[in-house]
Amino acid sequence: MVINMKIVVINGINHKGNTYTLTHKLLDKLDGEVNEFFLPKDFDEFCLGCAKCIFKGESNCPHYEKIKPLVDALVESDLIILDSPVYCMHATGSMFSFLDHLGYMWMAHRPNETMFKKQAVVLTTCAGAGKKRVLKDMNDSLFYLGVPKVYKIGVAMMAPSLDEMKPKKIKKLDKKINKISKKIVKKNGKVKPKFKTKAFFNIMRLMQKNGYNELDKNYWNDLGWTKKKRPWKK
Ligand SMILES: Cc1cc2nc3c(=O)[nH]c(=O)nc-3n(C[C@H](O)[C@H](O)[C@H](O)COP(=O)(O)O)c2cc1C
C-alpha cells in the first residue's frame, strides 16, 4: 500500500449516485490522501471564451479564484480521478465546463510539468449506451494536459443501479477495479510518457519555436523545453 499517494477526485455530478459509488469502489482499494470535488457545487462557471487565460495568463480568467483550489489540487496530486455519468450520450455539462477552463494548460499552450508524471482514472456509468464517448471525452483532456497513464472504467449497468446488476457483471467489475488499483499502487511515481505523448509534445515544441503567443513561447523557452529539457526528465 502507498500511504503518501495524493488523490484528487473531480465528480462530474453533485449527487452520490452510481458514478460516485463506482469511484468509491476504486478509492476503497487505494490508500492515500483524498481531495474530492463535486461539480457544479465546487465549480459552477461556464467558460466565457475571453481567452484571457491563454493570451494574458490564467490569473486573468474571470473565474480564476473559483477554479484555483481545483487546479492546485490537480497539480499537487499523484493520481487524478475524473468521473461523470452518461447523460444524453455525453459527459455532464458541469464536467465539460470544468475541462474547458483547463485549456491553457494543454500541451498546445502551457502544460504543467507535474502532469507528465501522474496517473489518472476516468470512470463512468450508464444505463446502456454512451460510456465509450464519455470516457474518451475525459481521457482526451488528460492526454492533452500531458498525463501519461489513464485507466478507464466504464459500466453499462443494464439495471437501475450498480448493486442491481447481474452477479456475474458485479464480479467482473470488482475484478477489474482490483486489477487497476494494484497497477496504480505499483506504478505510483514511476510513470513516464509513451511515444504518443512525446510525439505530440515534440510537435508543440516545434510550434512554440515560431509561436504567435508570447506568453506560451516564453513559458516553453524559460523551462528549456524548446532546447534539451523535457518535463518528464529530472
Ligand atoms: C438526464 C439523464 C440522461 C441520461 N442519458 C443516458 C444515456 O444517454 N445513455 C445511457 O445509457 N444512460 C443514460 N442515463 C442513465 C444514467 O447514465 C445512469 O443511470 C447512470 O448510472 C447515472 O449515474 P449517476 O447515478 O451517477 O447520476 C441518463 C440519465 C439521466 C438522468
Side-chain angles (χ1 to χ4, degrees), residues 13 15-21 84-90 124-131 155-157 159-161:
I13 192 82
H15 68 196
K16 295 179 177 174
N18 293 321
T19 315
Y20 171 91
T21 305
S84 168
V86 177
Y87 284 174
C88 304
M89 299 300 277
H90 288 279
T124 191
T125 64
C126 65
K131 65 176 184 176
V155 186
M157 302 179 301
S161 74

Side-chain angles (χ1 to χ4, degrees), residues 51-182:
K52 284 183 185 160
C53 60
I54 292 172
F55 292 106
K56 293 194 170 167
E58 58 272 25
S59 60
N60 293 283
C61 170
H63 312 135
Y64 175 69
E65 292 300 334
K66 261 194 189 177
I67 202 164
K68 192 174 181 308
L70 286 79
V71 172
D72 287 350
L74 286 180
V75 169
E76 283 162 20
S77 68
D78 300 302
L79 176 70
I80 298 173
I81 298 182
L82 300 182
D83 75 30
S84 168
V86 177
Y87 284 174
C88 304
M89 299 300 277
H90 288 279
T92 59
S94 310
M95 179 55 78
F96 278 121
S97 302
F98 168 68
L99 294 175
D100 281 350
H101 283 80
L102 304 184
Y104 74 91
M105 289 171 73
W106 278 31
M107 279 190 266
H109 298 290
R110 302 186 302 282
N112 187 291
E113 61 184 327
T114 64
M115 291 293 160
F116 296 87
K117 294 160 192 159
K118 295 183 198 296
Q119 301 185 86
V121 190
V122 290
L123 301 102
T124 191
T125 64
C126 65
K131 65 176 184 176
K132 273 196 183 161
R133 194 179 291 175
V134 172
L135 293 176
K136 186 179 183 305
D137 286 337
M138 296 187 288
N139 178 57
D140 280 353
S141 274
L142 291 163
F143 171 77
Y144 290 114
L145 287 167
V147 177
K149 182 71 197 163
V150 183
Y151 306 89
K152 294 180 185 152
I153 305 177
V155 186
M157 302 179 301
M158 305 303 264
S161 74
L162 287 170
D163 291 344
E164 291 168 273
M165 293 193 310
K166 286 192 174 151
K168 213 172 152 187
K169 226 171 168 173
I170 296 179
K171 209 170 155 193
K172 202 173 157 194
L173 176 62
D174 288 345
K175 215 171 148 188
K176 183 170 184 176
I177 288 175
N178 220 1
K179 200 172 160 190
I180 289 180
S181 66
K182 281 188 183 148

